Amino acid sequence: MSGMRIDRFSILPVVIALTAVVAACSDRPDNVLDKESMAALIADIHKGEGVIQTNNRYFVTDSAKRVFRQSIFEKHGVTSEQVYGSLEWYGYNVEKFDEVYTRAIEILEEELRVAQSNIGSAAELATVRNVAIEGDSVDVWPTLRFRRFAATMPDDYLKFDLASDRFWEKGDVYTLRAKMEGLRKPVTYVMAVDYFDGSRDYISRTIPGNGWHEVALALDSAKVAHQVYGYINYVPSGEVAFVDSVSLTRTRWGAHRRDLRKMVTSFGNGRH
């Protein structure tokens, strides 16, 4: 199928218009994982990728990442060949893959609901979600790294909200990165920061086209921030679109990068 690429590990969802229907692929072969098994595997793969991205200092080599990913396969009692063969078959049967991906989202959302219930309150949840992470360049994305945009979804936003922790510094830069598939029109990215003095900086960008998108917000180096938040917004018009592999990287800015800071800030920041 021309134009389709299935990443073996990040499992990027692909929804494209088919020009032909491959009838021979409609029946699932015995060696292809069924819907529930495939959905559970995809859910764990996404959680695993989140672990790798959040703890990248522990996964500095490809071999370390491969061992960790292989442990996910072993947990589900499947081989690499079964996983890749199943991905290939579902890739040629997009409607069935959409069903599997929807079920994977349901599994992750249910796990999140259970976690919230166990935590007991929104305040406690915020404390857990905003785990302090040390480092000069770390992924601090606090929630699910993917979602669908479709008429059946309750809203058209993927939101995030971070409260300050002991590792925040003046002048930090937050880079929001995501991959989009299935878009028919531009998608909107908004990032904002509230400072303790009552002021706010923000950036809003509308980006067309599928593929990787990136937006950066540079915090004021003379102010203390207490909250960084924002959203990805896409309003579908009949299509099903996906955002995947979302990351929010916090980077320290030194004097040698001051010029780059000015470039990023002037690109689209506003002040209130």
Side-chain angles (χ1 to χ4, degrees), residues 107-129:
I107 291 172
L108 289 166
E109 289 177 342
E110 178 59 28
E111 290 180 357
L112 184 59
R113 282 193 293 270
V114 171
Q116 291 173 350
S117 175
N118 291 338
I119 291 167
S121 72
E124 289 172 329
L125 175 61
T127 301
V128 172
R129 284 179 56 195

Side-chain angles (χ1 to χ4, degrees), residues 51-77:
V51 170
I52 290 174
Q53 292 183 36
T54 304
N55 301 276
N56 52 18
R57 60 180 172 176
Y58 300 115
F59 297 95
V60 295
T61 65
D62 289 339
S63 59
K65 295 174 184 177
R66 280 196 297 270
V67 169
F68 181 73
R69 290 159 176 159
Q70 188 62 41
S71 70
I72 298 175
F73 297 168
E74 292 175 357
K75 172 189 173 183
H76 288 264

Side-chain angles (χ1 to χ4, degrees), residues 13-70:
V14 181
V15 179
I16 61 175
L18 296 175
T19 58
V21 177
V22 183
C25 294
S26 60
D27 296 326
R28 180 175 59 84
D30 293 338
N31 62 334
V32 171
L33 298 176
D34 60 48
K35 173 183 173 181
E36 192 66 23
S37 299
M38 194 69 189
L41 176 63
I42 288 176
D44 276 355
I45 287 174
H46 274 286
K47 288 187 292 184
E49 288 303 307
V51 170
I52 290 174
Q53 292 183 36
T54 304
N55 301 276
N56 52 18
R57 60 180 172 176
Y58 300 115
F59 297 95
V60 295
T61 65
D62 289 339
S63 59
K65 295 174 184 177
R66 280 196 297 270
V67 169
F68 181 73
R69 290 159 176 159
Q70 188 62 41

Side-chain angles (χ1 to χ4, degrees), residues 13-234:
V14 181
V15 179
I16 61 175
L18 296 175
T19 58
V21 177
V22 183
C25 294
S26 60
D27 296 326
R28 180 175 59 84
D30 293 338
N31 62 334
V32 171
L33 298 176
D34 60 48
K35 173 183 173 181
E36 192 66 23
S37 299
M38 194 69 189
L41 176 63
I42 288 176
D44 276 355
I45 287 174
H46 274 286
K47 288 187 292 184
E49 288 303 307
V51 170
I52 290 174
Q53 292 183 36
T54 304
N55 301 276
N56 52 18
R57 60 180 172 176
Y58 300 115
F59 297 95
V60 295
T61 65
D62 289 339
S63 59
K65 295 174 184 177
R66 280 196 297 270
V67 169
F68 181 73
R69 290 159 176 159
Q70 188 62 41
S71 70
I72 298 175
F73 297 168
E74 292 175 357
K75 172 189 173 183
H76 288 264
V78 296
T79 64
S80 299
E81 290 73 17
Q82 282 180 290
V83 175
Y84 304 151
S86 296
L87 286 174
E88 183 177 4
W89 184 83
Y90 280 105
Y92 277 97
N93 292 269
V94 178
E95 290 185 4
K96 296 184 184 297
F97 184 71
D98 188 30
E99 293 175 3
V100 166
Y101 204 81
T102 299
R103 176 59 185 143
I105 293 174
E106 292 174 352
I107 291 172
L108 289 166
E109 289 177 342
E110 178 59 28
E111 290 180 357
L112 184 59
R113 282 193 293 270
V114 171
Q116 291 173 350
S117 175
N118 291 338
I119 291 167
S121 72
E124 289 172 329
L125 175 61
T127 301
V128 172
R129 284 179 56 195
N130 293 294
V131 176
I133 303 176
E134 183 179 8
D136 289 337
S137 182
V138 294
D139 184 357
V140 294
W141 180 255
T143 184
L144 297 178
R145 296 182 183 275
F146 68 98
R147 66 155 289 175
R148 289 186 307 149
F149 292 99
T152 56
M153 298 298 289
D155 61 49
D156 303 314
Y157 295 85
L158 177 59
K159 304 174 184 178
F160 70 92
D161 190 347
L162 294 173
S164 62
D165 60 53
R166 65 184 183 277
F167 296 121
W168 282 33
E169 294 183 3
K170 296 178 181 179
D172 284 346
V173 173
Y174 288 83
T175 303
L176 177 60
R177 193 167 188 262
K179 184 167 185 179
M180 302 297 305
E181 296 288 350
L183 299 183
R184 291 184 182 174
K185 51 189 177 183
V187 61
T188 300
Y189 295 81
V190 172
M191 299 174 65
V193 52
D194 289 346
Y195 300 101
F196 278 103
D197 66 0
S199 62
R200 173 184 301 157
D201 289 346
Y202 72 90
I203 182 170
S204 177
R205 289 188 62 191
T206 300
I207 304 177
N210 294 306
W212 288 100
H213 296 170
E214 187 173 292
V215 179
L217 173 68
L219 275 55
D220 196 311
S221 59
K223 299 180 180 180
V224 179
H226 73 85
Q227 187 178 22
V228 171
Y229 55 96
Y231 59 79
I232 300 173
N233 172 232
Y234 183 76

